[in-house]
Amino acid sequence: MIELKNVSKIYNYGTPKAVVALEDVNLYIGKGELVLLMGPSGSGKSTLLSLIAALTRPTKGIVKVENKIVSKLPDHFAALYRREWIGFIFQRFNLIEELSVLENVLLPLVPTPLSIARSEERGWEIMERFAIEHKAHTQVSKLSGGERQRVAIARSLVLDPPIILADEPTANLDSTLAQQFLLLLEKLHEQGKTIVVATHDPRFESLHVDRIAKVEEGHVFYT
Amino acid sequence: MNLKMLAFALSFLRRRLWKNLAVFFVFWALIFLVSSAFLIAASIKKELFATLEELPQIFVQRTIAGRLLPSPVARIEKIEQIEGVEAAYGRVWGYYYFPAAGVNFSIVGLDMDMAGFTPWMDEILASGKEGMVVGEGVKRVLLSHYYKEYFNFITPSGDFLKVPLVGAFPAHTELESSDTILLPMQTARKIFGMPQDQVSDITVRVNNPKEIATIAAKIRVLYPDSRVLTRFDINAAYQNVFDYKSGLFLALMLGAFFAFFILVFEKMSSVGKEERREIAILKALGWRIGDVLRLKFLESSLIAIFAYGLGVVGAYFFVYSMQAPLLRNLFTGFSVLKPRFELIPVLDIGLLLSIFFATVPLYLAATIVPTWRSSVIDPEEALR
């Protein structure tokens, strides 16, 4: 389903400040698999997720999703690809602080042809699923870390994407909330979602994962 | 229109309420000031030029070495003999200095047998009252010096000439009549010490208005010492005065424009780090560049169109309901006696469109261009 072929990513390429984030990476992730990308900070895990989500382009190599090259998509189609295929849970949540919970959850639905009523219905459904409906009209900046994470997850799933990418999802959570998140991932995995988690949290190793890939200094190895 | 996008544009505006209110206020103030100035000018021009339409078609004045002198009455008959001239009239007029108030009155002597002025004037003449009819400005000055029923002019021989006050011009004519006194021609002659065989100048009416310029040229040939002015020359002179005043006002407005352009430039040249991050978040969530631009366009349009609409409505209210306190003085200071008059409402679509196109698209571009520049960056780069 997801395939990276000879992928390298060099930031500030061609300048004296060039930084190699990934080098000649080959990786395959099958449909419905739960894959962990484990490695220390700065090893290239987040960059790998960004490449899969077409948030950035590789300096070399190609990224394919469902046999389609997504790494060379023009901006317009890259956005449509993300909308249709990707649910991204960011490490720092990347919520819009001054908007309410409901507004944040609805953000991915705004440019879609879905009606206002249907969009809101979908928003409420997903908020109920993550038990944040009672905070629907609360400004995100007033939420606790755990609540913010639930908003971020709800937002990433509101369009029901087949691929979920999570970047250090437990980094800002206490152990109870982290445990709840792990259970959620298992549930999503059971529903057939393809899940890629970048983490260096050893608690993830207790999950029933399909594969664990080690990311070290820009190289990726399956263990 | 995508109503969800509109709802989100409103939510996004609400987030930075004070900043957006400040931008809205600057925009509103600019539209309000510019619209007010142009509405006052348009209103005054409308009134003035409507009145100028009633002026004689040709004025003939005698000059020697550029100095105005009375014209011999005999010239009236000669001018009437020019083909195409319907009638010629001698006028006795001049300025009378009233030292107690330090102002000049414009005195115009009327041939009381000559009808065909405005209806209100004909009414006063028909009443048979012998005396003077004054503009509102003159009336105010006379009242402030306790002249309620008459005024004592001083003739060139040093005698007093008591002239009863029989009426005042209607308020709507005040712009052009504020400092004017109309009285019988014989009375005017006494005030100016002008002999019976002379007049101050001659006015001419022609049969065919298209021949005004030709007949004016013929009069110049007949009397080379004369200065011949047509209604068009006077129109042009007034036009110059108002264009000059509008120009002065626009020069004063440069400060406001400058502030607006700084605002626009500031917006054009930079998008804050926070805004760049937001654009990246939206793109990461599947928004296309077009979607982001649409959102920003709606946000800016809401500010710009509301500021424009309220600015124009405010200007109409300020100019026509409140009669533009302070601002109108900039345009009406040309008379010695400041006229009080009603600003007549003018709906000039061209003017409103000009103000719209000079400001709103500029502001929209100032928002869209930097948003577009931030939108084309890789979202990952902005989120790192």
Side-chain angles (χ1 to χ4, degrees):
Chain A
M1 177 163 202
I2 302 170
E3 194 177 1
L4 281 83
K5 273 190 184 170
N6 306 318
V7 168
S8 295
K9 176 68 183 176
I10 303 166
Y11 290 104
N12 304 316
Y13 183 65
T15 72
K17 290 180 184 172
V19 177
V20 179
L22 291 172
E23 195 174 359
D24 214 19
V25 171
N26 287 288
L27 183 71
Y28 180 83
I29 298 164
K31 194 172 187 174
E33 281 188 346
L34 169 54
V35 175
L36 293 185
L37 301 173
M38 300 206 69
S41 294
S43 57
K45 306 186 296 293
S46 299
T47 303
L48 200 51
L49 293 185
S50 292
L51 286 167
I52 296 171
L55 290 174
T56 189
R57 288 187 170 85
T59 312
K60 206 184 87 185
I62 54 168
V63 180
K64 279 181 169 181
V65 172
E66 283 283 281
N67 285 322
K68 285 185 183 127
I69 298 172
V70 297
S71 51
K72 290 182 179 168
L73 285 175
D75 208 280
H76 179 88
F77 293 103
L80 290 177
Y81 154 72
R82 282 192 292 274
R83 190 188 298 174
E84 196 178 334
W85 287 87
I86 305 291
F88 206 122
I89 303 166
F90 296 95
Q91 181 180 356
R92 289 188 207 106
F93 310 132
N94 281 334
L95 299 169
I96 297 185
E97 298 289 315
E98 300 89 348
L99 292 184
S100 69
V101 168
L102 178 63
E103 286 168 333
N104 266 282
V105 169
L106 291 180
L107 272 177
L109 295 166
V110 174
T112 66
L114 219 57
S115 69
I116 291 188
R118 186 72 197 93
S119 298
E120 290 205 352
E121 200 181 306
R122 181 87 192 102
W124 282 100
E125 273 170 26
I126 202 93
M127 284 192 302
E128 277 167 25
R129 190 167 151 200
F130 291 98
I132 44 169
E133 76 281 9
H134 61 291
K135 300 271 183 181
H137 299 295
T138 307
Q139 207 171 298
V140 161
S141 60
K142 292 173 182 157
L143 299 181
S144 67
E147 287 168 334
R148 290 154 80 90
Q149 200 209 29
R150 278 185 280 161
V151 177
I153 297 167
R155 187 184 65 180
S156 70
L157 296 178
V158 75
L159 282 170
D160 196 23
I163 299 171
I164 293 162
L165 307 174
D167 188 7
E168 301 283 7
T170 52
N172 297 301
L173 302 182
D174 61 32
S175 55
T176 316
L177 289 171
Q179 202 53 47
Q180 284 175 8
F181 182 73
L182 295 182
L183 290 173
L184 169 73
L185 278 189
E186 278 191 336
K187 223 183 246 180
L188 291 170
H189 185 211
E190 282 163 19
Q191 287 169 13
K193 304 275 183 200
T194 305
I195 302 170
V196 186
V197 183
T199 184
H200 59 266
D201 185 343
R203 284 175 294 194
F204 276 91
E205 290 176 33
S206 65
L207 274 176
H208 295 293
V209 296
D210 295 297
R211 272 188 282 185
I212 296 176
K214 292 266 181 214
V215 186
E216 278 174 14
E217 292 180 355
H219 297 278
V220 179
F221 322 90
Y222 270 124
T223 57
Chain B
M1 186 197 284
N2 185 339
L3 290 176
K4 279 182 290 179
M5 196 69 94
L6 184 62
F8 266 81
L10 281 168
S11 297
F12 272 72
L13 280 176
R14 229 179 22 239
R15 288 173 322 141
R16 299 193 184 98
L17 190 64
W18 291 109
K19 184 191 162 199
N20 288 325
L21 276 179
V23 172
F24 175 85
F25 179 75
V26 171
F27 207 144
W28 173 85
L30 177 87
I31 300 290
F32 172 78
L33 280 173
V34 173
S35 304
S36 297
F38 282 121
L39 286 177
I40 294 169
S43 192
I44 292 174
K45 270 188 190 176
K46 187 182 175 186
E47 197 216 338
L48 191 69
F49 291 123
T51 311
L52 288 174
E53 283 301 305
E54 293 169 13
L55 283 179
Q57 289 155 320
I58 300 172
F59 296 84
V60 183
Q61 297 171 331
R62 185 172 159 234
T63 62
I64 291 182
R67 191 162 54 90
L68 281 183
L69 288 178
S71 302
V73 171
R75 289 190 178 189
I76 298 173
E77 209 173 314
K78 288 269 186 194
I79 289 171
E80 276 184 327
Q81 285 166 7
I82 296 173
E83 206 169 324
V85 172
E86 187 187 331
Y89 303 98
R91 300 194 312 174
V92 175
W93 65 275
Y95 298 108
Y96 182 88
Y97 181 64
F98 179 39
V103 295
N104 280 312
F105 299 141
S106 303
I107 292 179
V108 178
L110 292 176
D111 184 345
M112 290 312 199
D113 298 330
M114 192 178 84
F117 286 96
T118 51
W120 56 268
M121 193 64 212
D122 285 343
E123 202 177 302
I124 292 171
L125 293 173
S127 72
K129 289 180 192 168
E130 284 262 331
M132 60 181 183
V133 181
V134 300
E136 281 294 324
V138 177
K139 193 177 168 188
R140 280 197 301 275
V141 170
L142 294 184
L143 280 176
S144 68
H145 290 80
Y146 309 105
Y147 289 106
K148 288 182 185 170
E149 289 165 359
Y150 63 91
F151 181 67
N152 280 321
F153 289 95
I154 301 170
T155 65
S157 58
D159 299 324
F160 283 113
L161 180 66
K162 186 176 175 179
V163 181
L165 182 61
V166 294
F169 302 139
H172 71 267
T173 67
E174 205 188 327
L175 181 61
E176 63 279 2
S177 67
S178 177
D179 64 348
T180 305
I181 297 175
L182 294 183
L183 34 66
M185 196 177 274
Q186 290 311 320
T187 313
R189 286 188 185 283
K190 284 179 198 163
I191 293 168
F192 296 128
M194 187 174 286
Q196 292 295 332
D197 60 348
Q198 287 185 342
V199 287
S200 304
D201 61 12
I202 298 164
T203 62
V204 181
R205 203 159 60 209
V206 301
N207 293 319
N208 181 0
K210 287 181 183 167
E211 289 184 345
I212 291 174
T214 314
I215 289 168
K218 284 180 182 173
I219 297 169
R220 275 188 209 106
V221 172
L222 185 63
Y223 295 113
D225 64 346
S226 63
R227 188 170 77 163
V228 183
L229 295 170
T230 66
R231 184 192 285 169
F232 310 118
D233 300 326
I234 293 176
N235 262 4
Y238 275 109
Q239 182 80 47
N240 283 343
V241 169
F242 276 98
D243 288 348
Y244 167 71
K245 296 226 173 204
S246 304
L248 265 184
F249 186 79
L250 275 181
L252 292 173
M253 285 297 300
L254 275 179
F257 270 110
F258 190 62
F260 177 68
F261 287 120
I262 286 178
L263 181 84
V264 166
F265 179 77
E266 199 273 330
K267 271 198 154 282
M268 273 224 179
S269 53
S270 65
V271 167
K273 197 178 164 189
E274 192 54 30
E275 274 181 85
R276 260 207 307 276
R277 194 180 140 269
E278 274 176 21
I279 291 169
I281 293 173
L282 295 178
K283 285 187 72 183
L285 296 175
W287 288 48
R288 293 162 295 184
I289 293 174
D291 299 324
V292 176
L293 293 181
R294 212 165 295 134
L295 176 77
K296 294 291 166 188
F297 180 79
L298 280 172
E299 272 184 51
S300 305
S301 299
L302 284 169
I303 290 182
I305 289 169
F306 271 99
Y308 174 80
L310 289 179
V312 168
V313 169
Y316 265 92
F317 179 77
F318 174 73
V319 173
Y320 298 124
S321 269
M322 297 171 67
Q323 290 293 304
L326 300 177
L327 216 52
R328 64 192 260 159
N329 295 345
L330 281 170
F331 291 89
T332 57
F334 71 95
S335 174
V336 177
L337 296 171
K338 277 260 166 80
R340 279 189 199 155
F341 59 96
E342 286 282 318
L343 288 165
I344 309 160
V346 174
L347 183 65
D348 186 343
I349 300 293
L351 170 69
L352 297 181
L353 285 177
S354 303
I355 296 172
F356 181 88
F357 285 114
T359 51
V360 174
L362 194 67
Y363 180 76
L364 293 182
T367 319
I368 297 302
V369 171
T371 302
W372 172 78
R373 283 208 313 237
S374 297
S375 302
V376 293
I377 300 170
D378 268 351
E380 194 227 15
E381 198 180 312
L383 288 173
R384 282 178 84 85

